[in-house]
Amino acid sequence: MHLNWLAWAVPVFCLFMYIEYAVARRQGKGTHGLHNSISNVSIGIAERLLDLFVVGSFFTFYRYLEQNFGVFDIKPSLLLWVLLFICTDFVWYWYHRLAHEINLFWAAHVVHHQSEDLNYTVSARITVFQAVLRTGFWSLLPILGFPAEMISTVLLVHGAYPFFIHTQTIGKLGILEYIFVTPSHHRVHHASNDEYLDKNYGDVLIIWDKLFGTFKREEDDVEMQFGLTHPLRTRSFLWQHFHFFAELLYEMRVATGVRSKLKILFGRPQHVRSDARARLERIFLKSSVQSPEVGARLNRYVLWQMAIALISLFALILLEHHLSVTHQAVVAILIILTLINCGAILEQRRWVYYLEVVRIHVALLPTMIYLSNPLTIVAVICLTIMLALPAYFRKRYDRFVYGA
Ligand SMILES: [Zn+2]
Ligand SMILES: [Zn+2]
């Protein structure tokens, strides 16, 4: 049986997240807000999921570039593996720095910085937009002549390392602080205190920041604030992904002339007016069902959904080669709907009920297609009743979820 063993990364990283949580509790550090962690992991699940469908094309893209434009004919050797790792880290530094300095790129990277906690779950805050953007930067590597197989292997290691630097449980690491990006350095990168803004872009090696003037040491007497300088006031899964794209579109619509529109797209994030978001939030994030208080019942409901989404993701990656694209797509859509649902439930959005109906439709879709007639009929009747009597079912649904 041909299994994709990379699926085990899901439970292994979850285990590390739990260990870090336990250590933080023992150290008496309040570094884990439940809803923040749920929101972080949701974004990570979506990225892993969408990566399943696009990562193959990244490999093909690298191979195409190497075979058609590769400057040097590179064969794997110890020296060249090390050189590739250093080149990858160097390209990462510039990708990351420009992602903070150019609006269009920041729109993809901003999601990583929205969390106001800093712990291992934040390392999951990566989006597929970032993966696409990074691939653009990393295309320099096959153009140099590095084979796609070498690049993919190095990116696996390079991609796993930053997981471990998103923590407040580890202090400074002595001599390692001079060479590697450590948790201390990366805390500075995630801090929104004025003195820490736009610092420490490195991924594995800290030398690039020291070389290009963006290095900042973590001071013991500064209390760190994490997250955006203007924090998001929502856990909406969709809004977290798209708010800055929407802000840019809004600003571009208001600006006059091509020059000023382009200036918004390629300018710096500091120059986007902060009232754009407030206006858009008034349009897109309307009122909630009841009071915004979230009880233990709701937390349990969301936690169960997250657990099911994680298990489904694990199974989907593991069995990737045995599932048709249609099956993969149905499971992927179900997981994405579940993530949107979790964010919306925490926000107590009015449309959660309707999203649930859509989710049940999607879940029953394979049944309708592949199984016998009686089940299809039962499914259709159930859904018709739920849609025909929304008030009745919605009231019960709200009571079940919110306990009110
Ligand atoms: Zn960053
Ligand atoms: Zn980070």
Side-chain angles (χ1 to χ4, degrees), residues 96 100 109 112-113 189:
H96 194 185
H100 278 257
H109 185 59
H112 185 62
H113 285 275
H189 180 66

PDB file of all heavy atoms in Angstrom, residues 96 100 109 112-113 189, ligand 1:
ATOM      1  N   HIS A  96      10.965  37.173   3.081  1.00  0.00           N
ATOM      2  CA  HIS A  96      10.296  37.553   4.314  1.00  0.00           C
ATOM      3  C   HIS A  96      10.358  39.073   4.512  1.00  0.00           C
ATOM      4  O   HIS A  96       9.371  39.704   4.865  1.00  0.00           O
ATOM      5  CB  HIS A  96      10.960  36.811   5.480  1.00  0.00           C
ATOM      6  CG  HIS A  96      10.171  36.866   6.746  1.00  0.00           C
ATOM      7  ND1 HIS A  96      10.615  36.371   7.933  1.00  0.00           N
ATOM      8  CD2 HIS A  96       8.951  37.391   7.012  1.00  0.00           C
ATOM      9  CE1 HIS A  96       9.713  36.572   8.857  1.00  0.00           C
ATOM     10  NE2 HIS A  96       8.692  37.198   8.329  1.00  0.00           N
ATOM     11  N   HIS A 100       7.175  42.009   4.307  1.00  0.00           N
ATOM     12  CA  HIS A 100       6.818  43.026   5.301  1.00  0.00           C
ATOM     13  C   HIS A 100       6.872  44.436   4.718  1.00  0.00           C
ATOM     14  O   HIS A 100       6.371  45.364   5.326  1.00  0.00           O
ATOM     15  CB  HIS A 100       7.782  42.972   6.494  1.00  0.00           C
ATOM     16  CG  HIS A 100       7.415  41.906   7.485  1.00  0.00           C
ATOM     17  ND1 HIS A 100       6.797  42.186   8.687  1.00  0.00           N
ATOM     18  CD2 HIS A 100       7.572  40.564   7.453  1.00  0.00           C
ATOM     19  CE1 HIS A 100       6.601  41.055   9.351  1.00  0.00           C
ATOM     20  NE2 HIS A 100       7.059  40.052   8.620  1.00  0.00           N
ATOM     21  N   HIS A 109       1.318  37.574   3.778  1.00  0.00           N
ATOM     22  CA  HIS A 109       2.072  37.217   4.998  1.00  0.00           C
ATOM     23  C   HIS A 109       1.387  37.683   6.283  1.00  0.00           C
ATOM     24  O   HIS A 109       1.647  37.136   7.353  1.00  0.00           O
ATOM     25  CB  HIS A 109       3.481  37.822   4.893  1.00  0.00           C
ATOM     26  CG  HIS A 109       4.391  37.437   6.010  1.00  0.00           C
ATOM     27  ND1 HIS A 109       4.709  36.120   6.306  1.00  0.00           N
ATOM     28  CD2 HIS A 109       5.053  38.186   6.938  1.00  0.00           C
ATOM     29  CE1 HIS A 109       5.530  36.087   7.344  1.00  0.00           C
ATOM     30  NE2 HIS A 109       5.751  37.321   7.757  1.00  0.00           N
ATOM     31  N   HIS A 112       0.172  35.401   9.173  1.00  0.00           N
ATOM     32  CA  HIS A 112       1.119  34.810  10.128  1.00  0.00           C
ATOM     33  C   HIS A 112       1.283  35.686  11.378  1.00  0.00           C
ATOM     34  O   HIS A 112       1.683  35.201  12.421  1.00  0.00           O
ATOM     35  CB  HIS A 112       2.472  34.612   9.441  1.00  0.00           C
ATOM     36  CG  HIS A 112       3.472  33.903  10.297  1.00  0.00           C
ATOM     37  ND1 HIS A 112       3.283  32.621  10.760  1.00  0.00           N
ATOM     38  CD2 HIS A 112       4.666  34.308  10.811  1.00  0.00           C
ATOM     39  CE1 HIS A 112       4.313  32.263  11.500  1.00  0.00           C
ATOM     40  NE2 HIS A 112       5.171  33.262  11.559  1.00  0.00           N
ATOM     41  N   HIS A 113       0.970  36.973  11.240  1.00  0.00           N
ATOM     42  CA  HIS A 113       1.242  37.900  12.347  1.00  0.00           C
ATOM     43  C   HIS A 113      -0.003  38.319  13.123  1.00  0.00           C
ATOM     44  O   HIS A 113       0.078  39.194  13.983  1.00  0.00           O
ATOM     45  CB  HIS A 113       1.970  39.143  11.813  1.00  0.00           C
ATOM     46  CG  HIS A 113       3.408  38.866  11.502  1.00  0.00           C
ATOM     47  ND1 HIS A 113       4.398  38.914  12.448  1.00  0.00           N
ATOM     48  CD2 HIS A 113       4.012  38.490  10.358  1.00  0.00           C
ATOM     49  CE1 HIS A 113       5.564  38.602  11.896  1.00  0.00           C
ATOM     50  NE2 HIS A 113       5.356  38.336  10.624  1.00  0.00           N
ATOM     51  N   HIS A 189      10.625  39.282  16.292  1.00  0.00           N
ATOM     52  CA  HIS A 189       9.977  39.453  14.989  1.00  0.00           C
ATOM     53  C   HIS A 189       8.454  39.545  15.123  1.00  0.00           C
ATOM     54  O   HIS A 189       7.808  40.307  14.396  1.00  0.00           O
ATOM     55  CB  HIS A 189      10.348  38.300  14.055  1.00  0.00           C
ATOM     56  CG  HIS A 189       9.703  38.436  12.709  1.00  0.00           C
ATOM     57  ND1 HIS A 189      10.028  39.454  11.840  1.00  0.00           N
ATOM     58  CD2 HIS A 189       8.709  37.731  12.101  1.00  0.00           C
ATOM     59  CE1 HIS A 189       9.272  39.364  10.761  1.00  0.00           C
ATOM     60  NE2 HIS A 189       8.459  38.331  10.889  1.00  0.00           N
TER      61      HIS A 189
HETATM   62 ZN    ZN B   1       7.007  38.024   9.312  1.00  0.00          ZN
END
